[in-house]
Amino acid sequence: VQLQAYGGGLVQAGGSLRLSCAVSGTIFSINAPGWYRQAPGKQRELVAVITSGGSTNYADSVKGRFTISRDNAKNTVYLQMASLKPEDTAVYYCKARVRRVSWSVESEYWGQGTLVTVSS
């Protein structure tokens, strides 16, 4: 199983970006995929997570600006980011718990990270 995150880049404050995280490999189910970020000198923190039923949870700092969504047919999770601020600058990682076959336990997987830089 691999998680491939992409879509990062350089954007001006107030701009938008959409991150994508594609999950590939032998997959039976994907549970609670989410996005995390790590800014220089800081710990990695949760940005947003989405459940199988579509429920979402966001960090207070991004509520109202970021939207997480998933396309189950494509095994892909998205993070639409709007009204970006310089403090959103970080490496963004996706994470998911994946069950590879119906009788296996879930394992946690991380993507490689994609850099988002917001200039003031």
Side-chain angles (χ1 to χ4, degrees), residues 12 19-20 28-29 32-33 38 47-48 56 70 73-74 77 81 119:
Q12 288 189 331
L19 305 183
S20 301
F28 176 76
S29 63
Q38 187 166 18
V47 176
T56 57
R70 62 189 294 176
K74 296 181 178 179
V77 181
M81 305 184 294
S119 63

Side-chain angles (χ1 to χ4, degrees), residues 17-21 32-36 46-51 54-59 62-71 76-82 93-95:
L17 278 176
R18 188 176 84 154
L19 305 183
S20 301
C21 176
W35 289 94
Y36 296 72
L46 171 70
V47 176
V49 65
I50 184 167
T51 68
S55 298
T56 57
N57 188 36
Y58 296 93
V62 307
K63 283 180 181 177
R65 300 188 297 121
F66 291 10
T67 303
I68 189 171
S69 62
R70 62 189 294 176
D71 185 330
T76 300
V77 181
Y78 304 98
L79 185 68
Q80 181 67 49
M81 305 184 294
Y93 299 89
C94 56
K95 187 189 82 170

Side-chain angles (χ1 to χ4, degrees), residues 2-116:
Q2 288 187 330
L3 274 65
Q4 180 73 34
Y6 55 95
L10 174 64
V11 64
Q12 288 189 331
S16 300
L17 278 176
R18 188 176 84 154
L19 305 183
S20 301
C21 176
V23 185
S24 62
T26 301
I27 301 165
F28 176 76
S29 63
I30 300 171
N31 191 24
W35 289 94
Y36 296 72
R37 67 185 181 187
Q38 187 166 18
K42 295 187 177 181
Q43 290 188 332
R44 192 171 298 187
E45 62 176 0
L46 171 70
V47 176
V49 65
I50 184 167
T51 68
S52 301
S55 298
T56 57
N57 188 36
Y58 296 93
D60 288 342
S61 58
V62 307
K63 283 180 181 177
R65 300 188 297 121
F66 291 10
T67 303
I68 189 171
S69 62
R70 62 189 294 176
D71 185 330
N72 292 328
K74 296 181 178 179
N75 290 333
T76 300
V77 181
Y78 304 98
L79 185 68
Q80 181 67 49
M81 305 184 294
S83 302
L84 283 161
K85 305 175 181 180
E87 51 263 44
D88 294 318
T89 295
V91 177
Y92 284 70
Y93 299 89
C94 56
K95 187 189 82 170
R97 299 200 305 270
V98 179
R99 191 186 304 273
R100 299 188 67 184
V101 292
S102 61
W103 59 87
S104 68
V105 298
E106 289 182 340
S107 296
E108 186 175 278
Y109 296 89
W110 287 88
Q112 84 287 2
T114 183
L115 177 63
V116 173

